[in-house]
């Protein structure tokens, strides 16, 4: 079914038809495409496995869009995820991102039915060195898809409902903020399919949770993690009664972020990511070099003036 996305440019409306799942009438209005202030919006987001909409000024909503197979991650998904977040990285209009899953759940993880040609190639006869070289390149390429989420300087809010397993956990671990609904659950299930997780969970989750013993327990046992436990250990920040309530809260947070200086917000994300992986002293030195440039931004003067004058609304910041 075709859904027409309208983008206003230079005072006229342009139609851009694309194939995606028809939105149900009870889906909140903010999940539909908004053309508000989109004259400055120049990036093109057209994918098969992702639906990208603009729910509000300076905000993008990236929705995993394979509901018929529980948003399982196929080969097309890995390519499109990388392409999507590279575009978002360079999108001067975008200041915050929400990522969620369509249909009944966030993501069931890897789509093994789409990987049969890969497994047959590896399982077949042939030189082990050449098979290993092939797998090395393949895994590195797939890892880059979620690295792009983490390396995108715009804050990414994950909104999780239903099952989030395997690659779904890898994905949300690369996000900045994680919300979930009451029916959500999480599962590191790679061991049950005969492999170790290799897309980021084992590297990022220990730093998110801060409890090495618990992470190993979840990874070794493939046990389900319910929302309350996920919040207790720090995997998610907030729990909401319904998906709709969660998405409303995610949009509210995104709007708050988008109203602030993009120089300050993006610098904060860069600093947090750097400091997570370096010593305190290295982090401080990094910020010295970063802010010796960024403190010269016009945003600093605008924010200071608004604070001094006790302005009712935040200042209007230019695109970055």
């Amino acid at each position: 079914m075709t859904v027409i996305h309208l983008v206003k440019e230079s005072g006229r409306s342009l139609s851009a038809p694309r194939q995606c799942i028809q939105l149900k009438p009870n889906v909140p209005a903010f999940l539909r495409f908004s053309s508000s202030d989109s004259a400055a919006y120049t990036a093109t987001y057209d994918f098969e496995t992702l639906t990208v909409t603009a729910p509000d000024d300076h905000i993008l909503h990236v929705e995993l869009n394979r509901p018929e197979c529980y948003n399982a991650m196929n080969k097309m998904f890995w390519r499109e995820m990388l392409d999507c977040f590279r575009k978002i990285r360079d999108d001067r209009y975008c200041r915050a991102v929400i990522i969620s899953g369509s249909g009944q759940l966030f993501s069931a993880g890897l789509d093994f039915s789409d990987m049969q040609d890969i497994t047959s190639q590896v399982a077949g006869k042939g030189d082990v060195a050449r098979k290993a070289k092939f797998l090395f390149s393949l895994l590195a390429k797939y890892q880059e898809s979620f690295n792009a989420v983490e390396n995108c300087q715009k804050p990414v809010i994950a909104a999780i409902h239903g099952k989030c397993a395997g690659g779904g956990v890898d994905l949300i671990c690369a996000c900045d903020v994680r919300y979930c609904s009451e029916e959500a659950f999480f599962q590191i299930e790679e061991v049950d399919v005969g492999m170790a997780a290799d897309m980021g969970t084992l590297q990022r989750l220990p730093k998110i949770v801060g409890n090495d013993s618990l992470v190993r327990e979840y990874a070794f046992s493939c046990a389900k993690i319910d929302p309350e436990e996920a919040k207790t250990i720090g995997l998610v920040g907030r729990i909401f009664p319904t998906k709709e309530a969660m998405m409303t809260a995610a949009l509210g947070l995104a709007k708050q972020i988008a109203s602030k200086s993009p120089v300050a917000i993006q610098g904060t994300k860069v600093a947090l990511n750097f400091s997570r992986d370096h010593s305190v002293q290295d982090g401080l030195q990094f910020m010295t070099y970063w802010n010796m440039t960024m403190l010269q931004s016009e945003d600093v003067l605008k924010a200071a003036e608004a604070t001094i004058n006790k302005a009712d609304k935040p200042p209007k910041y230019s695109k970055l």
Side-chain angles (χ1 to χ4, degrees):
M1 186 173 293
T2 301
V3 177
I4 304 298
H5 289 175
L6 298 179
V7 181
K8 185 178 290 183
E9 183 174 73
S10 302
R12 62 192 182 92
S13 294
L14 302 177
S15 297
R18 56 162 303 176
Q19 298 296 321
C20 63
I21 300 299
Q22 177 69 50
L23 292 172
K24 297 180 180 179
N26 62 348
V27 174
F30 64 75
L31 293 182
R32 300 180 178 87
F33 189 85
S34 169
S35 60
S36 174
D37 196 29
S38 59
Y41 201 91
T42 57
T44 301
Y45 299 90
D46 188 16
F47 305 105
E48 292 184 20
T49 66
L50 305 171
T51 298
V52 182
T53 54
D56 211 296
D57 293 348
H58 306 295
I59 299 169
L60 288 177
H61 176 218
V62 179
E63 188 176 35
L64 310 188
N65 191 29
R66 301 188 72 218
E68 70 285 354
C69 54
Y70 305 113
N71 297 320
M73 300 170 178
N74 62 359
K75 288 178 289 186
M76 177 69 74
F77 166 84
W78 296 106
R79 292 193 295 270
E80 292 190 336
M81 196 70 178
L82 178 58
D83 186 27
C84 178
F85 274 87
R86 281 180 172 171
K87 286 184 177 181
I88 291 174
R89 176 196 63 192
D90 298 330
D91 187 342
R92 297 177 62 206
Y93 182 76
C94 177
R95 297 181 184 176
V97 184
I98 301 169
I99 185 164
S100 69
S102 62
Q104 299 179 33
L105 49 83
F106 183 79
S107 177
L110 190 64
D111 187 348
F112 289 98
S113 65
D114 192 58
M115 301 293 175
Q116 289 180 350
D117 59 332
I118 296 174
T119 55
S120 62
Q121 181 175 343
V122 174
K125 296 180 179 179
D127 180 66
V128 65
R130 285 162 177 79
K131 291 181 181 179
K133 186 69 174 177
F134 165 76
L135 284 175
F136 179 89
S137 299
L138 182 70
L139 293 174
K141 181 170 63 177
Y142 284 2
Q143 286 174 354
E144 193 57 33
S145 298
F146 291 165
N147 290 344
V149 177
E150 182 177 70
N151 294 333
C152 173
Q153 293 184 1
K154 290 69 183 283
V156 182
I157 304 163
I160 306 120
H161 77 291
K163 182 177 182 179
C164 177
V169 179
D170 292 317
L171 172 55
I172 67 169
C173 284
C175 297
D176 299 287
V177 177
R178 290 166 293 276
Y179 286 173
C180 77
S181 58
E182 288 182 349
E183 89 283 0
F185 69 90
F186 308 84
Q187 192 171 13
I188 307 169
E189 61 179 8
E190 280 83 352
V191 165
D192 275 347
V193 294
M195 60 181 288
D198 52 14
M199 293 294 131
T201 292
L202 301 183
Q203 292 69 41
R204 295 185 175 103
L205 188 60
K207 295 180 180 181
I208 293 170
V209 171
N211 187 322
D212 184 69
S213 176
L214 267 179
V215 171
R216 290 169 188 262
E217 178 184 332
Y218 298 143
F220 295 154
S221 68
C222 303
K224 293 182 180 179
I225 307 170
D226 64 39
E228 288 296 337
E229 188 171 8
K231 186 173 185 294
T232 298
I233 66 175
L235 178 56
V236 300
R238 300 180 187 275
I239 305 170
F240 299 89
T242 64
K243 179 183 178 182
E244 185 177 55
M246 172 185 65
M247 296 304 299
T248 300
L251 179 65
L253 176 60
K255 289 172 71 173
Q256 281 187 312
I257 293 170
S259 71
K260 301 182 185 300
S261 160
V263 174
I265 289 291
Q266 294 179 38
T268 298
K269 175 170 179 174
V270 169
L272 286 169
N273 285 354
F274 184 91
S275 296
R276 178 197 59 197
D277 300 328
H278 296 79
S279 70
V280 173
Q281 186 57 43
D282 287 345
L284 288 169
Q285 186 175 41
F286 173 83
M287 283 310 297
T288 300
Y289 293 129
W290 181 272
N291 266 355
M292 72 182 188
T293 300
M294 298 306 172
L295 285 177
Q296 301 179 61
S297 168
E298 65 181 35
D299 291 17
V300 176
L301 298 178
K302 287 183 178 181
E305 183 179 1
T307 300
I308 293 171
N309 295 331
K310 299 181 179 180
D312 295 331
K313 296 181 179 180
K316 294 290 185 181
Y317 297 106
S318 302
K319 295 180 295 181
L320 180 60

